[in-house]
Amino acid sequence: MTNAPVSVSGSGSPGASAVAHLVRGPLVLTAATDEVGVVAARLVADHVRGHPTGVLGVATGASPLRLYAALAELRAEGLVTEGLTLAALDEYVGIDPGDERSYHSYVVRHIAGPLGIPESRVLVPRGGTQRDAERYEATLRDLGGVGLQVVGIGRNGHIGFNEPGSSRDSRTRVVALSDDTRAANARYFAGDADRVPSHAITQGIATILAASRIVMVASGAAKAWALDAALRGPVTADVPASFLRTHPSVTVVADDEALRPAS
Ligand code: PGA
């Protein structure tokens, strides 16, 4: 059986249209750029309605911001989110959780706060040792694992901070960030890639793939190469996001620019 993605052209409005999932592989929904987050939020909300006290896996970065804002709007319309536990994918090593550039701060500011979730149920990996990594794995395991996991995609094909070369069976661990990722994140560090931490602690590929359901959001031409490689190229550690094709329940919500095949 192939792992070819099912591609669905978005013709409905607003957002995407869907057809049956005919072959195994990610369901790909196209949406207008400003609707990517809204469409993805609806998928997350459907899951949250069935698992109001479950563990929601969250990604940081620019891509899912609109998704979280749309979820907060759904909360205002009655979606119950206060009972969720949030579990982040990754964190910089050497940045204090209270630092506004930390992913801990991001999750509190952009997700937990607007969704009414107390900080005591915000889980973010922390520290720079293997022991710290194992502790995070144990925390997730003790909670029964992640229900739905939101992910973005790095322009080099990373998911979480699993940079090219990350193996399918990797677990939470401390990793060195690639030059490309540090350059991409320089915008949060006064435009200076050298100020971006050199290391991070990240869920591994196997950790991410243990979630019951995965929703990826991607928009813009900067993601076209990575998304093309992840969806249409070989399943390989060179493109860590390609491993999502080994998961039975992945939905990608992306705009036309991100979905345009790389030339
Ligand atoms: P971005 O990051 O959403 O800020 O583009 C995505 C990622 O690196 O996973």
Side-chain angles (χ1 to χ4, degrees):
M1 185 180 288
T2 71
N3 278 339
V6 177
S7 191
V8 179
S9 289
S11 55
S13 74
S17 59
V19 295
H21 200 172
L22 300 174
V23 292
R24 189 163 168 265
L27 176 67
V28 180
L29 304 178
T30 61
T33 303
D34 58 1
E35 293 285 342
V36 167
V38 177
V39 170
R42 284 193 206 122
L43 301 175
V44 175
D46 284 345
H47 178 86
V48 167
R49 276 187 204 101
H51 306 84
T53 58
V55 181
L56 178 64
V58 291
T60 54
S63 306
L65 283 173
R66 185 71 190 99
L67 187 171
Y68 303 136
L71 263 188
E73 285 161 21
L74 291 171
R75 180 187 177 216
E77 292 166 13
L79 179 69
V80 176
T81 55
E82 298 82 0
L84 293 168
T85 293
L86 301 175
L89 288 172
D90 46 19
E91 179 62 283
Y92 292 116
V93 172
I95 299 273
D96 190 79
D99 187 309
E100 64 174 14
R101 297 164 303 181
S102 75
Y103 287 170
H104 181 95
S105 293
Y106 176 108
V107 175
V108 169
R109 188 165 62 240
H110 295 298
I111 318 174
L115 297 185
I117 299 166
E119 203 168 338
S120 57
R121 276 191 269 112
V122 170
L123 307 175
V124 181
R126 181 177 181 178
T129 68
Q130 180 58 23
R131 204 187 158 111
D132 295 322
E134 283 164 14
R135 193 174 302 125
Y136 195 63
E137 282 280 332
T139 300
L140 296 179
R141 204 170 42 240
D142 290 350
L143 285 167
V146 172
L148 184 147
Q149 176 68 57
V150 174
V151 296
I153 183 169
R155 57 193 193 183
N156 65 357
H158 76 200
I159 46 173
F161 272 136
N162 293 284
E163 301 285 34
S166 299
S167 77
R168 164 73 177 76
D169 54 9
S170 54
R171 288 278 170 183
T172 303
R173 67 205 186 287
V174 176
V175 295
L177 297 182
S178 70
D179 291 345
D180 191 64
T181 294
R182 293 178 79 203
N185 289 4
R187 63 194 194 273
Y188 303 113
F189 292 84
D192 184 355
D194 288 337
R195 288 205 211 171
V196 179
S198 58
H199 288 76
I201 181 168
T202 183
Q203 287 190 31
I205 305 279
T207 320
I208 293 170
L209 294 179
S212 307
R213 221 178 142 196
I214 298 174
V215 172
M216 172 182 277
V217 283
S219 57
K223 302 298 172 71
W225 179 88
L227 206 52
D228 188 36
L231 293 174
R232 304 183 188 95
V235 175
T236 167
D238 294 340
V239 182
S242 67
F243 287 123
L244 294 176
R245 290 180 15 227
T246 69
H247 189 284
S249 182
V250 177
T251 305
V252 176
V253 186
D255 66 5
D256 284 340
E257 289 76 16
L259 280 168
R260 195 160 290 141
S263 48

